[in-house]
Amino acid sequence: SPSHPVLNMMYLFQSVIIWLKLISYSHANKDLRILHGRTRKMDLSSSSNSVPRSGLNSRDELTVEVQDDKPGVFNEKLQAIFSEVKDLQPPFVMYPQNLSLGNLLFFMVAPTLCYQLNYPRSQSVRGRYVVWIVMRMCFVAALMLFSVEQYIKPTLEMSLLPMQHMDVLSITERLLRLSIPNTYVWLWGFYLYFHLWLNFLAEITRFGDRQFYKDWWNARTIDRYWRTWNLPVHNWITRHLYYPLLRKGTPKGLAVLLCFAFSAVFHELIISLPFRHISLHAFFGMLAQVPLIFLTKLIDRRFDNSFAGNATFWCLFCVVGQPMGIIMYYFDIWKFNSKA
């Protein structure tokens, strides 16, 4: 029998995370390899100029170059850079010593998508704190399951008939009824993953950088929300997609659109594939964020009021956007399964 869609979604979500990490691992080590090669060439050039060549045969010259071909100069420069960062503690991981299975496995478990040689590290693993996080995760997961079964699922089932007949008033009523429990489940889900789960991974790996989100709930624009609510993904897209596009000469507006298109593809895949039905609601919903960014910026400038901008954000996301998306997905999947 086919596995549950929620389990499929979790497996697919984790596969995407691993894929993003491998891309970052490859890009970072490629840059380190290029820098290492340039530093080595400069070191060899300076050494060859300082060593007199008169009286040396070809084998002697080769011996001089081999002796000068050491990673010491490159690592010394990295050591100097790492020493200036207050949050990093020696001994430092260096290139190419970082190219090991242990280093890769640590990065796979660490709560970050962007690879680098060294991260801030905590002193030790706090056992009581780990147990406390696990207890909270279980409690929040139970709250989410209760709310879905008790409030969200019955509302979605009652929305099928109005969706069939396109009864706008009834759909609006179901939309508003769904918005409150959906907001609670969404907030609990955010707290479960970004605060509890990522801090759990950070604690067991002694990962020191634990800023996984900022105050997105105070966002006055959609742009501010996407910059602050999911820092691991935002940092990955900025580092491995947005800035490379700008370096290639891509206009800033087009680069933003391509970043949202990239995110839209994976939103659609993670949501639709577990149900074996592609509807493109998440894809176009993500693309719609681009004009909404300009709209919310216009509203923010027009009223210059934090309440107006923040209320617009919450209404677009929690009262209209997410509930409507859930109703449309539920109806499409129900209709697809009914035909099958």
Side-chain angles (χ1 to χ4, degrees), residues 236-238 240-267 283 286-287 289-291 293-294:
W236 189 96
I237 291 179
T238 302
H240 297 290
L241 188 59
Y242 180 69
Y243 284 131
L245 286 172
L246 293 183
R247 286 194 291 267
K248 293 292 184 180
T250 307
K252 184 177 180 180
L254 179 59
V256 172
L257 179 61
L258 291 175
C259 289
F260 273 100
F262 177 85
S263 179
V265 170
F266 285 98
H267 274 78
F283 179 80
M286 284 298 299
L287 290 184
Q289 302 303 303
V290 177
I293 288 175
F294 295 101

Side-chain angles (χ1 to χ4, degrees), residues 1 18 23 53 69 98 135 152 173 191 210 234-235 244 294 319 322:
S1 61
I18 294 175
I23 290 178
R53 296 295 177 182
D69 186 13
N98 67 306
M135 292 174 60
I152 293 181
E173 187 269 336
Y191 177 73
R210 306 192 181 187
H234 171 73
N235 292 337
F294 295 101
V319 179
Q322 290 184 2

Side-chain angles (χ1 to χ4, degrees), residues 146-161:
F146 171 79
S147 299
V148 169
E149 292 293 332
Q150 187 71 21
Y151 299 105
I152 293 181
K153 188 176 179 180
T155 304
L156 290 175
E157 291 175 349
M158 289 189 298
S159 68
L160 293 176
L161 188 61

Side-chain angles (χ1 to χ4, degrees), residues 122-134 136 199-200 202-208 210:
S122 56
Q123 295 296 326
S124 61
V125 178
R126 298 170 292 177
R128 292 184 178 180
Y129 182 63
V130 171
V131 173
W132 176 233
I133 289 179
V134 172
R136 283 188 289 174
N199 271 290
F200 171 79
E203 190 64 31
I204 63 175
T205 58
R206 296 176 42 235
F207 191 83
R210 306 192 181 187

Side-chain angles (χ1 to χ4, degrees), residues 139-287:
F139 179 73
V140 173
L143 280 178
M144 294 175 63
L145 182 61
F146 171 79
S147 299
V148 169
E149 292 293 332
Q150 187 71 21
Y151 299 105
I152 293 181
K153 188 176 179 180
T155 304
L156 290 175
E157 291 175 349
M158 289 189 298
S159 68
L160 293 176
L161 188 61
M163 287 292 290
Q164 279 183 295
H165 299 286
M166 293 305 297
D167 186 347
V168 178
L169 290 178
S170 297
I171 293 174
T172 304
E173 187 269 336
R174 303 297 190 275
L175 185 73
L176 296 175
R177 179 180 293 186
L178 183 63
S179 63
I180 295 178
N182 170 74
T183 301
Y184 279 109
V185 171
W186 179 51
L187 292 175
W188 287 334
F190 171 84
Y191 177 73
L192 175 66
Y193 185 79
F194 287 96
H195 188 78
L196 296 179
W197 174 248
L198 292 185
N199 271 290
F200 171 79
L201 293 180
E203 190 64 31
I204 63 175
T205 58
R206 296 176 42 235
F207 191 83
D209 185 3
R210 306 192 181 187
Q211 188 176 44
F212 307 118
Y213 58 89
K214 295 181 181 178
D215 59 336
W216 57 265
W217 47 87
N218 292 326
R220 296 169 59 166
T221 63
I222 300 296
D223 175 68
R224 172 68 179 171
Y225 165 76
W226 287 113
R227 291 175 182 270
T228 54
W229 99 282
N230 187 347
L231 290 186
V233 171
H234 171 73
N235 292 337
W236 189 96
I237 291 179
T238 302
R239 175 179 173 182
H240 297 290
L241 188 59
Y242 180 69
Y243 284 131
L245 286 172
L246 293 183
R247 286 194 291 267
K248 293 292 184 180
T250 307
K252 184 177 180 180
L254 179 59
V256 172
L257 179 61
L258 291 175
C259 289
F260 273 100
F262 177 85
S263 179
V265 170
F266 285 98
H267 274 78
E268 182 63 36
L269 290 177
I270 292 173
I271 295 175
S272 296
L273 284 187
F275 295 98
R276 298 175 175 85
H277 177 65
I278 302 294
S279 60
L280 298 179
H281 296 318
F283 179 80
F284 289 112
M286 284 298 299
L287 290 184

Side-chain angles (χ1 to χ4, degrees), residues 152 156 159 178 182 321-331:
I152 293 181
L156 290 175
S159 68
L178 183 63
N182 170 74
Q322 290 184 2
M324 193 69 242
I326 294 173
I327 290 175
M328 293 170 66
Y329 265 111
Y330 191 83
F331 177 71

